[in-house]
Amino acid sequence: MFTLRLLFYSIIFIEIFTIIYNLIKFLVFKIYNYSFQKTYDSKYNNDFHLYVLIPCYKEKKVIKNTIQYFLKLINNNSNIDFYIITTQKEKEENPSLQTTYDYILNLNIKSKKFHILNYPHVNGMMADQLNYAINKILESQDLPKDRVYFSIYNADSHPDSSTFIELFEKISQYHFPKVIQQYSNYFLNYETQDFIMRGFSIYQTAFEFRNGVINNNLSKLLYSHVVGHGLTIRADYITSIGGFTSKFWCEDIYLTGLIHNSNEKILSLKSFDNAENPTNLKVQIVQNAVWFKTASHHFSIFKDIQRHNNLSLNGLIWLLHELRASFIWIFMPLFILYTFVYPIISQNYKLLLLAIITYFVFIFVNYFLNLLVVNFKRFHNYIKNYFSTCLAVLLTCIGPIYSLFLKEKIKTER
């Protein structure tokens, strides 16, 4: 009985420690006044070219609106070209259905900024589509590779209207940096989601703000990541590391490890990519399982990186962060549930009250408080779904558990 009580208090202590730790980070972030006021200087060095790449696989439902959105966003900027990369895999899997490639061709889009490439092979993943497009583009342009950038987005991405203005300014201000990340909020389809899925939208968005925006702007020793959508990377850097890897399901997790090991700085934008969250819990679980399947293979990723690069202190720190993050992802919800179950079984309702209050504060500081890195309006709009977030966080371990039985990568449904 003593061991069970000790476990209870240990979990409560970890929750309180996490609350204090993230509260301090947030306050330091606000004290340093990392402003999100979008005031950009239009006079920047534009001696470079940006290629926006959107890899597509079975995306007929959303791609038309996305193409129209991006063409409006680019607005005939002479330094930007826009590419959709489809795959022959669709035709091979179901010859009787219209492919995304054929669908887009039938849209008959009239814009010199718009291009489409069809990855000609029937195997491979998104990384292979991206590498194919990068190689094709570099073959047909004359700028040196350190003056060429690729921005990667998803088929449902809708980045803020200030995105490319800020991106060009950032490239000029930091003298052609290698890696720039635009983090995401997952509120694009928020109004159509049910109670539990709104909680997952807040959970995922808060994760991006905390580990991406806050951590990146405090210290490169803190846990931070790049994401496959909103990523802008310099051509010479991505080609020097052999392109995006297809050895692991999530190429961006591998790339994160590589960037940290090579001590590269991840610059973050103040604008955001507005993305959709999965529409139901089943799809959410599958998506999380795919992400966790790669994230949990941190030792395999680390060994692969070591084969081509010398081990650095930052690389080791990244590995420790990944170990901690994977452990928390799969076990923390179970531990928190234990803090509710143990007092009920032991009929100690003071401990139950302590567990409930601690958890409520834990959710507020770790998730809702992070929404204030943008503005109060965002916080005000989503605090109404506080209890759906409390429930969603307790369910976040289902995806990682399901990944143990996942044998092949499954595309997230739209």
Side-chain angles (χ1 to χ4, degrees):
M1 195 67 178
F2 173 78
T3 303
L4 297 177
R5 181 181 286 263
L6 180 63
L7 177 59
F8 172 87
Y9 281 117
S10 298
I11 297 169
I12 294 295
F13 172 79
I14 292 172
E15 285 186 82
I16 294 173
F17 176 83
T18 305
I19 290 167
I20 296 171
Y21 172 70
N22 283 314
L23 183 58
I24 290 172
K25 281 199 307 177
F26 175 79
L27 292 174
V28 172
F29 179 84
K30 298 301 286 185
I31 289 170
Y32 275 88
N33 194 27
Y34 185 72
S35 173
F36 274 77
Q37 297 299 316
K38 297 175 176 59
T39 55
Y40 304 120
D41 183 2
S42 60
K43 297 178 181 179
Y44 43 69
N45 185 339
N46 60 0
D47 185 24
F48 60 90
H49 202 88
L50 176 71
Y51 295 93
V52 178
L53 309 181
I54 298 185
C56 289
Y57 172 59
K58 297 181 179 178
E59 299 288 8
K60 290 186 292 183
K61 290 182 180 179
V62 299
I63 196 59
K64 180 180 177 180
N65 288 337
T66 302
I67 291 172
Q68 292 172 341
Y69 183 85
F70 270 89
L71 288 177
K72 183 179 179 181
L73 207 61
I74 292 169
N75 194 26
N76 294 319
N77 188 315
S78 60
N79 293 84
I80 305 178
D81 276 282
F82 176 43
Y83 279 78
I84 296 291
I85 307 107
T86 56
T87 173
Q88 190 64 21
K89 182 191 292 188
E90 287 189 40
K91 190 72 173 178
E92 176 72 14
E93 289 179 346
N94 200 327
S96 63
L97 289 181
Q98 183 188 43
T99 63
T100 305
Y101 178 73
D102 292 330
Y103 172 78
I104 294 174
L105 288 180
N106 288 338
L107 294 177
N108 198 25
I109 297 167
K110 305 291 186 182
S111 172
K112 292 182 179 180
K113 311 304 296 179
F114 176 78
H115 314 271
I116 183 168
L117 289 172
N118 191 49
Y119 177 66
H121 306 294
V122 298
N123 52 9
M125 297 186 291
M126 185 175 77
D128 300 291
Q129 291 174 252
L130 290 171
N131 292 336
Y132 173 78
I134 288 170
N135 291 332
K136 283 290 184 182
I137 291 169
L138 290 178
E139 287 173 3
S140 61
Q141 64 87 45
D142 300 323
L143 282 173
K145 289 183 180 179
D146 63 354
R147 292 297 183 268
V148 176
Y149 283 88
F150 297 101
S151 284
I152 318 300
Y153 284 96
N154 282 350
D156 64 342
S157 291
H158 281 64
D160 286 345
S161 59
S162 58
T163 293
F164 295 120
I165 298 172
E166 184 191 359
L167 182 59
F168 273 49
E169 184 187 56
K170 187 78 73 175
I171 291 171
S172 179
Q173 178 186 353
Y174 286 89
H175 307 292
F176 307 102
K178 294 179 180 178
V179 182
I180 304 172
Q181 180 67 56
Q182 180 180 49
Y183 291 100
S184 302
N185 72 65
Y186 292 85
F187 296 138
L188 194 61
N189 59 338
Y190 184 81
E191 297 302 327
T192 62
Q193 292 192 307
D194 61 23
F195 176 81
I196 187 62
M197 295 315 298
R198 290 187 179 188
F200 272 102
S201 293
I202 294 168
Y203 163 81
Q204 188 60 42
T205 301
F207 174 86
E208 292 279 298
F209 289 5
R210 181 178 65 248
N211 293 330
V213 178
I214 294 177
N215 285 2
N216 254 331
N217 286 280
L218 291 182
S219 171
K220 67 178 182 179
L221 296 179
L222 296 175
Y223 181 78
S224 60
H225 62 291
V226 295
V227 191
H229 52 101
L231 172 67
T232 297
I233 195 160
R234 212 169 71 187
D236 61 329
Y237 181 67
I238 190 62
T239 54
S240 71
I241 62 176
F244 293 97
T245 184
S246 57
K247 295 179 182 178
F248 302 91
W249 286 357
C250 298
E251 69 291 329
D252 47 7
I253 296 176
Y254 180 93
L255 181 60
T256 297
L258 193 61
I259 289 170
H260 280 282
N261 191 66
S262 59
N263 300 313
E264 292 295 339
K265 170 70 175 174
I266 303 171
L267 294 176
S268 62
L269 296 184
K270 300 175 184 178
S271 55
F272 292 97
D273 178 19
N274 303 285
E276 292 185 354
N277 204 55
T279 55
N280 59 68
L281 184 57
K282 178 182 177 182
V283 176
Q284 182 80 57
I285 290 170
V286 170
Q287 183 187 76
N288 287 353
V290 170
W291 290 347
F292 187 83
K293 195 74 170 183
T294 301
S296 63
H297 288 170
H298 27 253
F299 284 115
S300 298
I301 293 174
F302 198 64
K303 288 179 181 178
D304 191 80
I305 291 173
Q306 274 189 293
R307 279 198 289 268
H308 308 287
N309 303 272
N310 294 324
L311 173 64
S312 73
L313 176 61
N314 275 0
L316 182 60
I317 291 173
W318 171 82
L319 177 63
L320 295 175
H321 277 311
E322 281 298 315
L323 283 167
R324 175 191 57 81
S326 296
F327 182 86
I328 289 173
W329 195 356
I330 195 168
F331 288 113
M332 194 61 183
L334 300 176
F335 288 151
I336 291 173
L337 284 171
Y338 173 82
T339 65
F340 302 144
V341 173
Y342 170 73
I344 293 174
I345 293 175
S346 61
Q347 297 184 343
N348 190 329
Y349 298 108
K350 289 183 180 179
L351 291 185
L352 179 61
L353 182 61
L354 172 64
I356 292 172
I357 292 173
T358 302
Y359 183 61
F360 282 170
V361 177
F362 178 87
I363 292 297
F364 179 81
V365 172
N366 290 357
Y367 300 99
F368 285 92
L369 199 60
N370 292 310
L371 301 183
L372 283 173
V373 303
V374 183
N375 54 43
F376 181 76
K377 182 179 179 181
R378 185 185 299 279
F379 177 87
H380 176 73
N381 287 344
Y382 303 116
I383 191 67
K384 294 177 291 186
N385 286 286
Y386 179 83
F387 291 107
S388 65
T389 307
C390 290
L391 178 58
V393 170
L394 293 176
L395 300 177
T396 54
C397 63
I398 300 176
I401 293 171
Y402 179 63
S403 74
L404 303 176
F405 307 96
L406 203 59
K407 302 301 181 184
E408 62 180 18
K409 185 176 182 179
I410 302 174
K411 174 182 168 53
T412 302
E413 298 175 19
R414 299 199 195 281

